[in-house]
Amino acid sequence: MKVLVPVKRVVDYNVKVRVKADGTGVDIANVKMSMNPFDEIAVEEAVRLKEKGVATEVIAVSCGVPQCQETLRTAMAIGADRAILVECADELQPLAVAKLLKALVDKEQPGLVILGKQAIDDDCNQTGQMLAALANLPQGTFASKVEIADGKVSVTREVDGGLETVRLNLPAVVTTDLRLNEPRYVTLPNIMKAKKKTLDVFKPADLGVDVAPRIKTLKVVEPPKRGAGVKVPDVAALVDKLKNEAKVI
């Protein structure tokens, strides 16, 4: 069984994000970039499935600028067998990415697509669900446990009320939550091996996909700075401030 793992190149989670002076977006010039943490969990889970003998091949996929090859090499250093880059210099919104992934699903015919529940840059949490809809595949989102047996995948989901388990027919789409696993440390020998693994490059046109943006960003601004806290003499004063100043009750 093939496992397809989409990964996204994002600003490293340790970096403080800065908004451009003109408000057109986030400044990524000379900023450290890395793999989206949720996608790293997805790669780790796919590699573990291969180590268990459930999967035969793990294919990492990324959509974006040429530098995404670095992210794919990291995925292959974790344990992916090969990689595919859909190279595009334009902004890629979740629907466009989902369409590109759908085209690759049609091409590769994977038994499972596993990806992060969301990217830490836009926090959209849409790509996995859109892909499942476009490809007409069952989906298990926010996975904290994944088990495959008898041609089905059992996904334990983290929901507001606790945990929910769904059993899906394969092929299926699964999106990962933080508690699914802890990604392994990438060693230098594996980084060197990853440089020799196959990395194919396509353009959106090669896959017959229109990636034109459907949403226009008008302005990006930083959130307002948090005000200093104040001490109140008693509960009545606290309730009064919450009601009349903060207006949260």
Side-chain angles (χ1 to χ4, degrees), residues 55-143:
T56 56
E57 185 180 29
V58 177
I59 308 166
V61 178
S62 192
C63 305
V65 295
Q67 290 87 336
C68 290
Q69 291 190 31
E70 300 169 10
T71 307
L72 290 171
R73 294 293 178 192
T74 300
M76 289 190 285
I78 294 173
D81 297 292
R82 59 187 174 94
I84 299 172
L85 170 62
V86 182
E87 191 176 303
C88 180
D90 300 327
E91 176 194 3
L92 289 174
Q93 295 175 351
L95 180 58
V97 176
K99 288 180 176 179
L100 291 170
L101 294 177
K102 196 267 181 183
L104 290 174
V105 166
D106 292 342
K107 177 181 174 64
E108 295 290 343
Q109 295 293 307
L112 180 68
V113 181
I114 183 166
L115 64 159
K117 68 173 183 178
Q118 64 194 67
I120 62 171
D121 52 2
D122 55 23
D123 278 334
C124 282
N125 181 19
Q126 295 175 338
T127 305
Q129 293 89 327
M130 287 178 169
L131 171 60
L134 291 171
N136 195 28
L137 296 175
Q139 60 179 303
T141 55
F142 313 115

Side-chain angles (χ1 to χ4, degrees), residues 231-235 237-238:
K231 289 184 178 181
V232 293
D234 50 41
V235 174
L238 173 62

Side-chain angles (χ1 to χ4, degrees), residues 115-189:
L115 64 159
K117 68 173 183 178
Q118 64 194 67
I120 62 171
D121 52 2
D122 55 23
D123 278 334
C124 282
N125 181 19
Q126 295 175 338
T127 305
Q129 293 89 327
M130 287 178 169
L131 171 60
L134 291 171
N136 195 28
L137 296 175
Q139 60 179 303
T141 55
F142 313 115
S144 61
K145 187 176 182 181
V146 176
E147 294 179 315
I148 296 178
D150 303 323
K152 295 181 183 293
V153 55
S154 293
V155 180
T156 302
R157 304 180 60 235
E158 297 197 358
V159 296
D160 292 340
L163 298 176
E164 175 189 62
T165 300
V166 294
R167 192 167 167 83
L168 313 171
N169 292 323
L170 293 174
V173 176
V174 173
T175 70
T176 64
D177 215 324
L178 277 176
R179 280 155 289 280
L180 179 58
N181 63 51
E182 184 175 341
R184 69 194 65 188
Y185 178 76
V186 179
T187 62
L188 182 59

Side-chain angles (χ1 to χ4, degrees), residues 18-79:
R18 300 182 185 278
V19 176
K20 291 180 180 177
D22 58 4
T24 57
V26 173
D27 187 5
I28 60 172
N30 301 316
V31 171
K32 181 183 178 183
M33 307 292 283
S34 61
M35 186 189 302
N36 179 47
F38 291 103
D39 295 337
E40 192 173 2
I41 292 169
V43 176
E44 173 66 26
E45 191 66 21
V47 173
R48 291 187 185 188
L49 289 173
K50 185 184 175 186
E51 290 172 345
K52 291 176 184 176
V54 176
T56 56
E57 185 180 29
V58 177
I59 308 166
V61 178
S62 192
C63 305
V65 295
Q67 290 87 336
C68 290
Q69 291 190 31
E70 300 169 10
T71 307
L72 290 171
R73 294 293 178 192
T74 300
M76 289 190 285
I78 294 173

